[in-house]
Amino acid sequence: MSQISRRSILAVSATMLLSACVSSRAPKLTGNTSDETGAALAMVNKLRSDRGLAPLSPNTNARQAATGQAVRMAKADKMSHLIGLGDSFLSRMKSHSVPLPAAENIASGQNEVERAVQAWIDSPKHLENMLGNYRGLGVAVARDMASGNRPYWAMVLSS
């Protein structure tokens, strides 16, 4: 292989690697990822209504941010708000044009949206997020096919 060919391959490989690391746009939905905003919204709005709070509405940007986070966790096989060097909640929200302030709830292992939302209700900090002064909601689940189909959940609440 010539020197030019090797350099070209290395340059293309490096560009692809860097773009994969830098991009935080939500990947397209696949067979192992689903938008659960509608089902979660009904439960969250019931909770908010019972407490005299205004309902939330589906927010496309929050849904995209939730999908991106769920996919990232599934690919890493790790439940975490921050994955990888330089990861930042604020940067992810800005890259998806999520209206700020915003909040994120994550969960793992629940096979149904009802169980994920209930886990967040049972957690004081997550419950505080769902009862916060937000207007938009996005919820997604991604499954880690490599390690037994484990579900990773993300909820993004936006202003």
Side-chain angles (χ1 to χ4, degrees), residues 70-82:
V71 168
R72 286 162 25 98
M73 291 188 299
K75 284 183 178 180
D77 194 18
K78 176 182 177 183
M79 186 181 82
S80 178
H81 291 283
L82 303 177

Side-chain angles (χ1 to χ4, degrees), residues 25-94:
R25 276 290 186 204
K28 290 187 178 183
L29 295 178
T30 64
N32 65 344
T33 307
S34 65
D35 175 9
E36 297 292 337
T37 302
L41 188 64
M43 291 180 278
V44 173
N45 279 343
K46 167 89 170 80
L47 174 72
R48 290 175 64 87
S49 174
D50 291 348
R51 308 236 177 152
L53 298 171
L56 302 177
S57 299
N59 181 282
T60 299
N61 296 345
R63 181 194 57 78
Q64 290 173 346
T67 300
Q69 181 62 12
V71 168
R72 286 162 25 98
M73 291 188 299
K75 284 183 178 180
D77 194 18
K78 176 182 177 183
M79 186 181 82
S80 178
H81 291 283
L82 303 177
I83 298 172
L85 294 174
D87 191 11
S88 155
F89 172 75
L90 184 58
S91 293
R92 283 191 289 110
M93 295 305 108
K94 285 183 175 182

Side-chain angles (χ1 to χ4, degrees), residues 73-124:
M73 291 188 299
K75 284 183 178 180
D77 194 18
K78 176 182 177 183
M79 186 181 82
S80 178
H81 291 283
L82 303 177
I83 298 172
L85 294 174
D87 191 11
S88 155
F89 172 75
L90 184 58
S91 293
R92 283 191 289 110
M93 295 305 108
K94 285 183 175 182
S95 74
H96 290 285
S97 300
V98 172
L100 300 174
E104 177 180 79
N105 289 347
I106 58 173
S108 178
Q110 299 82 2
N111 286 317
E112 297 89 25
V113 66
E114 296 84 6
R115 290 188 181 198
V117 173
Q118 189 60 53
W120 291 323
I121 290 170
D122 293 341
S123 166

